[in-house]
Amino acid sequence: MFYKIRNDALFRRYEGFGYITDNSDYSYRPLVPGRPYFGDKFVNESAAVMLSALSKTPRSIESIMLDLKQEFEGVDAAELQADAETLFQAFADQGYLSFGTTAENCTQHERDWPNKTDVSSESSSFDGFATQHGTNVESTHTDLSNDSSAHDDGVLEIADNKNALRSLHIDLTNACNERCVHCYIPHSCRQMLSSELFYRIIEEGRHMNMVHVTLSGGEPLLHKEFIHFLARCRELDLAVNVLSNLLLLTDEMIEEMRRNHLLSVQTSLYAIEPRIHDAITGREGSCEKTKNAILKLREAGVAVQISCPAMKQNKDCVGDVIDWGAKLNIAVGVEPSIFASYDHSGCNLVHRLSLEELGDVIDQQLLAGQASTLYENAKSRAELTAESPVCSVCKNSVCVSASGEVFPCAGWQTNILGDLNKQSLRDIWENSSKAQQLRAVKRKHFSKCLACENRCYCTICMMRNANENQDGDAFKINAFQCRIAALTRQKVESYANSHNLVDDID
């Protein structure tokens, strides 16, 4: 029998445990999924050793056993092979691996599997999978930032490993060929990340078992080495998100994107009508160029998501963007309240919606079919406790500026954690005092929010707080955000109840 990791799956072996994902956390799904999505699974050390013997190329069980015998000295070879085959088959049944009697059959199985939509009868192969070697799997469907506790022998205590670097956001440049009125990056920026530093960063990240990288800006396609950066990420088996306005997209770029099964693209479309979109971007013709690029990426099979921040200029046509995306099976993410610029000037907030205008945008979301999504997000937040982390910054992810400085997240560039021109990525990740302080922040540090009846409709965002407060206080929540949460709750729950969608959230 031959086995391989699927081209759209990822596996990493960390110290004491392993992590496998179908890439659904790092890519964009069509509105009508072509196959089931299973998210993350964590495995203990023995299972991690077995899975680490696999690659994206089919390997025979005989070849795999040569490696495993070196790792499991003194274990009966027949028992070890039976355990490995049971584990591999369980993950193959779930869609993470492919298998076949020959290498060709194994590859063909991967091509055929997405057409399979019912795997419920096979998923039981995970249940009770434990051997004398302690091999076990735990299905969590969460990331490492969520607390979890061990409950059976051999099952991973995820809470002990929650600070693993899994995702890196890199600004290839802070320059941009658009002048979006709401942008949180000052338009005076013109810096490009050096190619040497980029390659060093992703190599260091990969050695730390990084899973995912976001290539952003500014406008990342402005970087002359962009295609080569994509190619290197593919060679390192990294999931990639490209955040771009797509104005500079070429056929050569699309071809390289197609080669990475772990790549997806997010772009902003503010309106279907060019007059409105172009007024926001300050670039005539940008609407049609972006829409045409979206269509080309979709035709090429590249995963795409549309972002539609709502502001005064496009407040009446957000629903049109959602509908346009739905016709293409492309999800549209709406941000009703734009972020303040990170220079504390607040100059972009003149374009932010009033509470009444924001309510109209929420109504458009509900009418366009996003009620269930908003409600399910609220249900997820209802499960958070006082000990839950506020977010994943510095726990699973950090960002790198075009100058090589490291900061917590894309909009919080005044909070410098370290400088990659002087330090290694590992040094900053492990030793930055600021990063350690942010890792310790939990929801209990926002005591007022814990007791708030609207907490399920609000995301505590330290970056937003810091940018909106002149003193940069990340713990002082703007009262306007509280009013947004109350309005969102009223709108969503009223709609859900009137349409018999779900029960009330406690």
Side-chain angles (χ1 to χ4, degrees):
M1 189 66 72
F2 286 74
Y3 298 94
K4 72 180 291 290
I5 297 173
R6 285 178 54 89
N7 290 331
D8 57 357
L10 289 153
F11 171 75
R12 297 289 187 266
R13 180 181 174 185
Y14 296 92
E15 183 177 353
F17 74 101
Y19 168 77
I20 192 166
T21 175
D22 64 356
N23 199 38
S24 61
D25 281 353
Y26 304 106
S27 186
Y28 302 122
R29 310 181 195 179
L31 296 181
V32 181
R35 69 174 179 88
Y37 290 86
F38 299 98
D40 307 64
K41 283 186 171 60
F42 298 88
V43 299
N44 71 4
E45 188 169 14
S46 295
V49 171
M50 293 180 181
L51 288 170
S52 65
L54 304 180
S55 70
K56 297 295 178 72
T57 302
R59 292 193 70 188
S60 68
I61 188 63
E62 291 78 15
S63 175
I64 294 169
M65 285 301 299
L66 293 177
D67 290 346
L68 295 185
K69 287 176 184 177
Q70 301 294 319
E71 298 277 359
F72 294 93
E73 294 183 8
V75 177
D76 179 80
E79 290 184 10
L80 180 61
Q81 179 169 332
D83 288 337
E85 289 182 319
T86 301
L87 179 72
F88 295 159
Q89 192 60 52
F91 279 105
D93 288 345
Q94 289 288 299
Y96 300 96
L97 309 180
S98 295
F99 66 96
T101 54
T102 66
E104 293 76 15
N105 292 153
C106 184
T107 301
Q108 185 61 45
H109 176 264
E110 176 170 4
R111 297 193 189 103
D112 294 342
W113 198 89
N115 297 320
K116 186 177 186 178
T117 58
D118 182 9
V119 297
S120 58
S121 62
E122 298 167 340
S123 60
S124 61
S125 55
F126 281 110
D127 298 337
F129 183 82
T131 71
Q132 65 191 66
H133 316 304
T135 305
N136 206 328
V137 296
E138 178 184 2
S139 175
T140 65
H141 301 283
T142 62
D143 67 26
L144 292 175
S145 65
N146 292 332
D147 289 339
S148 177
S149 59
H151 49 272
D152 290 307
D153 292 340
V155 176
L156 172 67
E157 171 91 40
I158 295 175
D160 291 339
N161 303 286
K162 59 187 175 183
N163 294 332
L165 176 64
R166 286 167 53 194
S167 185
L168 194 63
H169 178 116
I170 304 176
D171 283 345
L172 301 184
T173 176
N174 50 26
C176 190
N177 52 354
E178 291 185 334
R179 288 293 180 268
C180 296
V181 297
H182 66 292
C183 187
Y184 57 79
I185 301 175
H187 293 319
S188 58
C189 297
R190 293 288 188 276
Q191 195 159 12
M192 292 278 178
L193 183 73
S194 75
S195 299
E196 295 77 13
L197 186 54
F198 174 84
Y199 290 122
R200 198 198 93 196
I201 292 169
I202 61 168
E203 293 285 348
E204 290 183 13
R206 188 63 182 83
H207 284 132
M208 295 170 68
N209 283 319
M210 182 173 70
V211 176
H212 167 258
V213 61
T214 293
L215 303 182
S216 184
E219 174 47 54
L221 272 58
L222 284 170
H223 204 295
K224 63 181 181 180
E225 294 293 315
F226 176 74
I227 293 179
H228 301 297
F229 292 165
L230 288 185
R232 187 58 185 146
C233 289
R234 172 173 51 81
E235 293 165 356
L236 292 174
D237 194 33
L238 290 169
V240 179
N241 278 355
V242 177
L243 307 186
S244 167
N245 57 41
L246 303 179
L247 300 188
L248 299 176
L249 186 70
T250 65
D251 291 341
E252 186 180 8
M253 292 176 184
I254 293 175
E255 182 55 34
E256 178 54 46
M257 290 175 177
R258 287 182 67 248
R259 297 181 67 186
N260 190 340
H261 298 273
L262 302 166
L263 184 142
S264 54
V265 174
Q266 179 179 315
T267 192
S268 293
L269 186 63
Y270 305 107
I272 301 304
E273 184 179 340
R275 176 181 58 84
I276 298 174
H277 177 98
D278 295 356
I280 292 173
T281 65
R283 178 73 180 268
E284 186 176 352
S286 59
C287 181
E288 291 306 312
K289 286 184 178 180
T290 296
K291 287 196 294 184
N292 289 336
I294 292 171
L295 295 175
K296 291 184 72 172
L297 288 170
R298 180 181 177 277
E299 183 179 359
V302 177
V304 183
Q305 177 171 293
I306 295 170
S307 176
C308 184
M311 61 201 87
K312 291 186 180 297
Q313 290 85 341
N314 70 338
K315 61 183 175 60
D316 298 322
C317 52
V318 169
D320 296 336
V321 177
I322 297 174
D323 291 340
W324 189 80
K327 292 175 183 177
L328 299 171
N329 284 343
I330 296 175
V332 176
V334 176
E335 176 53 59
S337 180
I338 60 177
F339 296 110
S341 59
Y342 63 70
D343 62 1
H344 299 292
S345 68
C347 59
N348 61 332
L349 295 186
V350 297
H351 306 286
R352 177 182 278 178
L353 300 178
S354 68
L355 202 62
E356 181 179 357
E357 291 169 333
L358 193 144
D360 292 339
V361 169
I362 296 174
D363 288 338
Q364 290 183 63
Q365 289 181 264
L366 297 174
L367 292 174
Q370 294 194 346
S372 295
T373 298
L374 294 171
Y375 202 90
E376 288 303 316
N377 289 341
K379 287 180 64 178
S380 296
R381 295 190 192 107
E383 298 175 0
L384 300 175
T385 69
E387 294 299 320
S388 297
V390 170
C391 65
S392 66
V393 296
C394 297
K395 301 177 76 63
N396 305 138
S397 64
V398 288
C399 297
V400 179
S401 72
S403 64
E405 292 176 323
V406 177
F407 46 96
C409 63
W412 204 357
Q413 298 192 25
T414 54
N415 190 2
I416 306 301
L417 308 178
D419 188 346
L420 288 167
N421 296 293
K422 304 173 183 177
Q423 303 167 269
S424 69
L425 182 60
R426 184 181 294 276
D427 178 34
I428 296 171
W429 178 259
E430 295 180 351
N431 300 316
S432 167
S433 59
K434 288 185 177 181
Q436 292 169 3
Q437 291 168 7
L438 287 172
R439 286 180 192 133
V441 177
K442 298 183 179 180
R443 295 179 70 84
K444 66 183 179 182
H445 293 110
F446 295 84
S447 56
K448 180 180 178 181
C449 299
L450 283 179
C452 179
E453 62 180 358
N454 304 310
R455 67 189 183 281
C456 298
Y457 292 88
C458 176
T459 300
I460 299 174
C461 181
M462 292 185 287
M463 175 271 285
R464 185 192 291 273
N465 297 344
N467 288 359
E468 297 206 11
N469 295 319
Q470 288 298 313
D471 58 1
D473 188 348
F475 293 88
K476 180 177 160 185
I477 295 178
N478 187 292
F480 184 64
Q481 300 303 321
C482 299
R483 291 195 289 271
I484 292 175
L487 177 64
T488 304
R489 179 191 178 198
Q490 181 266 315
K491 292 277 188 181
V492 174
E493 292 191 355
S494 175
Y495 185 93
N497 290 331
S498 64
H499 289 74
N500 297 316
L501 293 180
V502 277
D503 296 329
D504 288 338
I505 297 176
D506 294 328

